[in-house]
Amino acid sequence: MRRHNRALVLQTVAGEQPVSRARIAARTGLTRGTVSSLVDDLLAAGLVAELGVTRGGTGRPASPLQLNRSGPAGLGLEIGVETVGACVVDLTGAVRAQAQIPSPHRTEAPAVGLGALVSVAARVVAGAGLPVAGVGVAVPGVLADGVLERAPNLPRWRDVDVAARVGEVLAPEVGDVPVTAGNEADLGALAEHVTGSGGDDVLYVSGGIGVGAGIVLDGRAFRGAGGRAGELGHVVVDAAGPECSCGGSGCLESAAGLEALCRAAGVGDLDALTAAAAREERPTVEALTAGGRALGIALAGAVNLLDVPVVVLGGAYARLGRVLQKAVADELARRVLWRSPVEVRMSPLGPDAALVGAAVSVVRELVRAG
Amino acid sequence: MRRHNRALVLQTVAGEQPVSRARIAARTGLTRGTVSSLVDDLLAAGLVAELGVTRGGTGRPASPLQLNRSGPAGLGLEIGVETVGACVVDLTGAVRAQAQIPSPHRTEAPAVGLGALVSVAARVVAGAGLPVAGVGVAVPGVLADGVLERAPNLPRWRDVDVAARVGEVLAPEVGDVPVTAGNEADLGALAEHVTGSGGDDVLYVSGGIGVGAGIVLDGRAFRGAGGRAGELGHVVVDAAGPECSCGGSGCLESAAGLEALCRAAGVGDLDALTAAAAREERPTVEALTAGGRALGIALAGAVNLLDVPVVVLGGAYARLGRVLQKAVADELARRVLWRSPVEVRMSPLGPDAALVGAAVSVVRELVRAG
DNA sequence: CTCCTTTGTTCGGGCACCGTACAAAGCCGG
DNA sequence: CCGGCTTTGTACGGTGCCCGAACAAAGGAG
């Protein structure tokens, strides 16, 4: 009960800072006295801090409160296909330290990757100088209860209990804090939702060799009954299209995955594709237009089904500029049933979204729990 | 606070009846004393009833509680394309009275339909003999805040505030009770979820001239940010397919809508199609197989996106038998990424699902609120 | 017939919130 | 320069509601 109200107060602070005790009382419906008492708890726990600055108006100046930027922080980790990364965000969600190093997970066993993860995490934690209250790990694959069930690009990690293993190797660094693992696209969606100052419903698409979607509904990540929601890559965009490794045919990945885009544009990798897109070379523009159309078709289906007002293009897509964005937006405008336009944004976080999202998921949970 | 706990107790009774006070206490974590006090409230409100039967075991016999079948009931209404219907369900969700009459909404103004609705509602309410605590209205169209925003098959009802209008005309019959309006497919999904004894996540597809989906996530109807979620009919199943009235091409409706199925099978209407399907006539079987494949493609996309374990085929589809079900299930098995099979059920409620769902939504809300 | 088990009720104790009253601290007008 | 005004934050009694323990009730087992 008190716990609930403490969380309510904390969320109010998070939603509008700086804010006075009196304003919190007005917003939550609690009494000023009750709020004072709850705020005392939060101050003692180090979750909020008092500014002390008394910028005037009429009446007694308020004593403004905000989330404690030196308080407990979240450590985000990412296990990419060929990299590991780490970042620390404070309670406000601001990134305080970040680093990334290469790590060949396709060829090396998980133990090697975990070693790399520890080293980069240690550096980042030391750099930030904040107490770590929890760890989030982003992984490109399907998780069930923290166990990696399916990860096409991380074959040696199959059936690894990521959360548990990371917790073990990281214990010397950060102590015995809760570790959660999440899908890369889901966490990317969360990051875009939080930093994007967007609404409470976002469909985030992470482009890469695979195409995954993260869904934020009503302000929280939606993972489905089995934690596997968001597999957009194998939506059918052309029933007559090529066979796919998934057993179907005409999947989105075959038309708008990174490999298909590179092949159609006649370039070797994402960097070359990005450069060619920036120069607006003819075959690349055509390839991106065709891929964007396919993506738009798949997204239109998802938007019609979920009624989401904002679509964010992230991952590799974030680097491919306006040609892609326009093709997607055109197709959405044509196929979405309602007239209020669906907004198509390029991800401002780009390839860091998942990493930041992993860290943000931790502090978000801290704030939610009070 | 007390309200919250009262609701908790009521939901426990709803989840497992009959049930003793002591068992409720064990389940909820409250004290037996507290539960007793809360149950007294619920008895006074007429929401639960005491059975009085004391079937023995060891120890003092319990006094079993269950939802009051004579207590407040929900009135469900449906405005179909050419019919109006009404039904009353008691607190347990059991249908206590039901009726349907024709009403040509395509040609007549809403006022005429409302008149028909009142007459059928009055009959059903009298037949059930229970106090009506609320009204739910199912409508085949997109609603925003109770206003019918888009309803292709109900052109004269456009922009009508269904909930408000129904509330006005029904006030003499049932008094001043809350009226809510909902999409037909959403309410159908709710009904299947509640009666189907299924899990908390269901994707319900209502086949007809249009194809709509109702989504139940985590035990509650999901309507999306703008209340328009579930438009499955215009998912693309074949980019090269025919143009559609929605502006796109190759939409599911063009391949698996009722009109397409009839045309492909060479029959005139749903009744003929149903009969031909029952006789397993060759062209009909082929038409249903092709339609079922298209439906399966669209559903696979939705399932991959939402990770829903159960798909229910309802509306007209409920009458089309195993041929359709098999084609859908085959396509789902092929295209859904995870190996745990997606269950494909035929709706047991059939065409009544939306009507029952409208009534169920009312009592569900009563139970949720305590 | 007596004991035992389980149920439902009753009664003090305490926690948390509410309402009100009061001190604090800066603006504003004379 | 100073008193009123306004708004903020704190202190104190009152109340609602839940918990824990003790107690009466009601039937089965030996």
Side-chain angles (χ1 to χ4, degrees), chain B residues 261-276:
Chain B
L261 292 179
C262 286
R263 197 166 43 241
V267 300
D269 62 2
L270 175 60
D271 291 331
L273 188 66
T274 308

Side-chain angles (χ1 to χ4, degrees), chain B residues 5 7 19 28 36 48 67 69-70 73 78 111 117 119 131 163 187 196 223 225 246 251 272 278 299 338 362 369-370:
Chain B
N5 278 334
V19 61
T28 59
S36 256
V48 308
L67 292 178
R69 305 180 75 96
S70 312
E78 179 174 19
L117 208 54
S119 90
L187 293 170
R223 301 203 151 84
C246 76
C251 296
L299 284 174
W338 32 91
V362 173

Side-chain angles (χ1 to χ4, degrees), chain A residues 75-79 135-140 143 180-195 204 206 213-216 221-223 349 352-362 364:
Chain A
L75 171 61
L77 304 175
E78 179 172 21
I79 301 169
V135 181
V137 189
V139 192
L143 290 152
T180 57
N183 174 271
E184 172 214 16
D186 287 337
L187 293 170
L190 184 65
E192 297 294 347
H193 160 61
V194 170
T195 66
Y204 169 81
S206 170
I215 308 174
V216 173
F222 170 76
R223 301 201 153 85
L349 293 166
D352 297 334
L355 180 57
V356 173
V360 163
S361 73
V362 174
R364 210 176 156 71

